[in-house]
């Protein structure tokens, strides 16, 4: 009996040591998984959205060693009286307003700072769209009507076989993908866990096999379409998205701080929502688009792509918000009125006719409630009309 006790004790010790070793080996993955599970919690969401690099794998988008481009301050503007209530209700953390290229209002809330590099969520999609326009212009992508499998052959035989680049830019792939953020078993949340645990986004995408409609027939917003756009860009250019975006867009813009992307376990950028930068730098990108893709004498994004990508071309229902190539057009939009939009209240709103750009970040846990998106657009329009 004494011998059995001795061997049992040794076995238990080995088991405990084994568990401890496994915990150390998987510590980073466990930490990231816990971060995903508490990412949107009420007590952590504001801090999390300004510090995504403390919990996830990331890669830098180099801003280069050039000077920061001038973003002058114009006469300070008093915003409409409805704005402070909106800021509180929507848990806004940053608001930067440009008029004719100058800052006329800038403020930060909830203990955040101007230097915070904030998560873009789906605002990042519009940055990727700009890269597509650049690659089309230089001939690396022959046509947006090319099948995605021409540039991403790993998608042959998947749900995306038969879809064109135009289809995924328009969110009209017809691919089944559950984007319910409140359902822990949804595709979007499964994808988040793969990201946290160091899996491969390309493999996850290639496993999708179901469609609900032929490509191009029905508009349905599914973020995985944007990952496919990223696969096409990588395949066409032979380069990573952070490297390409840094050279073609970020360095010419002269940002204040180097942005960064969240990545999967093999360093592939989370292009559908993982870009992080300061709110002023989001505003710079918006101003460049307002100027037809030009910035300080340099044409960064082709002017015809700016126009095409910000025109409603997706097969959305009549009377609903319009969609272009990874850009949104509000209901009743004037020509040149469009926006990049991300969950929890991230926006770059552009009113070309009035010369207004509004960049805002938020941690709005009620962003999906009825009327919230419409209220945000109404506030942006009210600000623009009062400048």
């Amino acid at each position: 009996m004494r011998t059995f006790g001795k061997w049992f004790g040794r076995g238990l010790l080995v088991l405990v040591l084994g568990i401890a070793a496994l915990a150390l080996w998987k510590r980073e993955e466990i930490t990231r998984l816990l971060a995903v599970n508490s990412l949107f919690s009420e007590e952590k969401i504001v801090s999390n959205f300004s510090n995504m690099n403390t919990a996830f794998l990331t890669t830098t988008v180099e801003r280069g060693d050039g000077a920061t481009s001038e973003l002058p301050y114009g006469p300070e503007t008093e915003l409409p009286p409805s704005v402070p209530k909106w800021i509180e209700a929507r848990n806004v953390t940053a608001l930067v307003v440009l008029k004719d290229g100058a800052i006329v209002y800038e403020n930060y809330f909830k203990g955040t700072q101007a230097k915070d590099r904030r998560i873009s969520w789906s605002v990042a999609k519009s940055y990727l769209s700009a890269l597509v326009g650049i690659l089309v212009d230089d001939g690396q992508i022959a046509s947006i009507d090319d099948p995605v499998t021409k540039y991403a052959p790993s998608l042959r035989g998947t749900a995306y076989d038969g879809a064109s680049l135009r289809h995924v830019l328009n969110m009209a792939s017809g691919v089944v993908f559950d984007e319910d953020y409140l359902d822990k078993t949804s595709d979007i949340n499964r994808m988040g866990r793969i990201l946290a645990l160091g899996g491969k986004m390309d493999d996850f995408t290639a496993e999708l096999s179901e469609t609900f409609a032929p490509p191009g027939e029905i508009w349905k917003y599914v973020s995985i379409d944007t990952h496919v756009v990223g696969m096409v860009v990588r395949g066409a250019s032979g380069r990573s998205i952070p490297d390409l975006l840094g050279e073609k867009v970020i360095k010419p813009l002269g940002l204040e701080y180097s942005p960064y992307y969240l990545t999967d376990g093999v360093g592939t950028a989370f292009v559908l929502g993982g870009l992080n930068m300061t709110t002023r730098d989001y505003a710079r990108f918006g101003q460049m688009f307002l100027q037809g893709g030009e910035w300080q004498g340099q044409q960064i994004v082709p002017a015809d792509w700016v126009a095409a990508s910000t025109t409603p071309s997706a097969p959305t229902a009549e009377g609903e918000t319009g969609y272009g190539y990874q850009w949104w057009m509000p209901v009743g939009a004037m020509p040149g009125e469009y926006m990049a939009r991300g969950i929890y209240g991230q926006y770059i709103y552009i009113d070309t006719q009035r010369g207004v750009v509004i960049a805002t970040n938020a941690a709005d846990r009620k962003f999906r409630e009825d009327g919230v998106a419409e209220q945000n657009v109404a506030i942006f329009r009210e600000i623009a009309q009062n400048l």
Side-chain angles (χ1 to χ4, degrees), residues 184-205:
K184 292 187 181 298
T185 65
S186 69
D187 292 321
I188 195 74
N189 283 321
R190 285 196 306 115
M191 184 182 67
R193 289 190 288 274
I194 286 171
L195 193 73
L197 293 173
K200 297 178 182 180
M201 287 285 296
D202 286 359
D203 289 353
F204 173 82
T205 307

Side-chain angles (χ1 to χ4, degrees), residues 149-171:
T149 52
K150 176 179 178 179
Y151 305 98
S154 64
L155 295 177
R156 291 172 185 156
T158 73
Y160 282 99
D161 203 342
S164 70
L165 177 55
R166 185 189 300 273
H167 294 146
V168 290
L169 284 166
N170 272 164
M171 295 287 183

Side-chain angles (χ1 to χ4, degrees), residues 86-109:
W86 168 78
I87 288 171
E88 184 62 29
R90 302 276 61 88
N91 216 29
V92 172
T93 54
L95 178 60
V96 174
V97 180
L98 307 184
K99 169 70 172 176
D100 298 329
I103 297 175
V104 294
Y105 181 87
E106 178 181 21
N107 211 344
Y108 302 90
F109 312 95

Side-chain angles (χ1 to χ4, degrees), residues 138-381:
D138 68 16
Q140 294 186 69
I141 293 175
S143 168
I144 63 171
D145 291 312
D146 285 343
V148 296
T149 52
K150 176 179 178 179
Y151 305 98
S154 64
L155 295 177
R156 291 172 185 156
T158 73
Y160 282 99
D161 203 342
S164 70
L165 177 55
R166 185 189 300 273
H167 294 146
V168 290
L169 284 166
N170 272 164
M171 295 287 183
S173 66
V175 170
V176 173
F177 184 83
D178 181 2
E179 196 146 345
D180 185 353
Y181 289 89
L182 301 180
D183 180 359
K184 292 187 181 298
T185 65
S186 69
D187 292 321
I188 195 74
N189 283 321
R190 285 196 306 115
M191 184 182 67
R193 289 190 288 274
I194 286 171
L195 193 73
L197 293 173
K200 297 178 182 180
M201 287 285 296
D202 286 359
D203 289 353
F204 173 82
T205 307
E207 290 171 1
L208 298 174
S209 59
E210 296 182 45
T211 59
F212 63 88
E217 285 195 3
I218 298 175
W219 180 86
K220 185 178 181 183
Y221 188 87
V222 290
S223 286
I224 201 66
D225 278 4
T226 307
H227 184 77
V228 173
V229 176
M231 292 176 75
V232 169
V233 169
R234 286 186 277 126
S237 66
R239 299 170 64 182
S240 73
I241 303 297
D243 183 42
L244 196 63
L245 186 70
E247 178 194 336
K248 301 294 187 180
V249 177
I250 299 305
K251 290 179 182 177
L253 276 176
L255 302 191
E256 293 181 57
Y257 298 94
S258 290
Y260 66 89
Y261 271 109
L262 309 186
T263 74
D264 68 7
V266 293
T268 300
F270 186 53
V271 294
L272 59 91
L275 188 61
N276 296 257
M277 65 177 67
T278 69
T279 310
R280 274 200 295 259
D281 285 340
Y282 287 124
R284 282 181 168 86
F285 181 76
Q287 183 65 32
M288 180 264 289
F289 255 72
L290 183 145
Q291 295 168 182
E294 183 272 336
W295 186 257
Q296 297 188 337
Q298 179 179 355
Q299 194 70 38
I300 296 177
V301 180
D304 58 353
W305 183 262
V306 171
S309 62
T310 60
T311 298
S313 57
T316 57
E318 187 175 352
E320 290 188 357
T321 302
Y323 201 76
Y325 304 150
Q326 310 282 293
W327 286 91
W328 298 84
M329 295 86 229
V331 175
M334 302 180 300
E337 183 188 12
Y338 54 93
M339 58 193 179
R341 183 172 78 175
I343 56 171
Y344 293 90
Q346 326 312 316
Y347 285 89
I348 301 174
Y349 169 86
I350 297 167
D351 182 338
T352 306
Q353 292 187 20
R354 293 187 172 91
V356 173
V357 173
I358 300 172
T360 185
N361 295 100
D364 183 9
R365 298 172 74 246
K366 299 179 179 180
F367 76 100
R368 281 192 177 275
E369 291 186 357
D370 289 345
V372 169
E374 292 77 10
Q375 180 192 32
N376 292 336
V377 171
I379 286 290
F380 299 150
R381 286 172 166 167

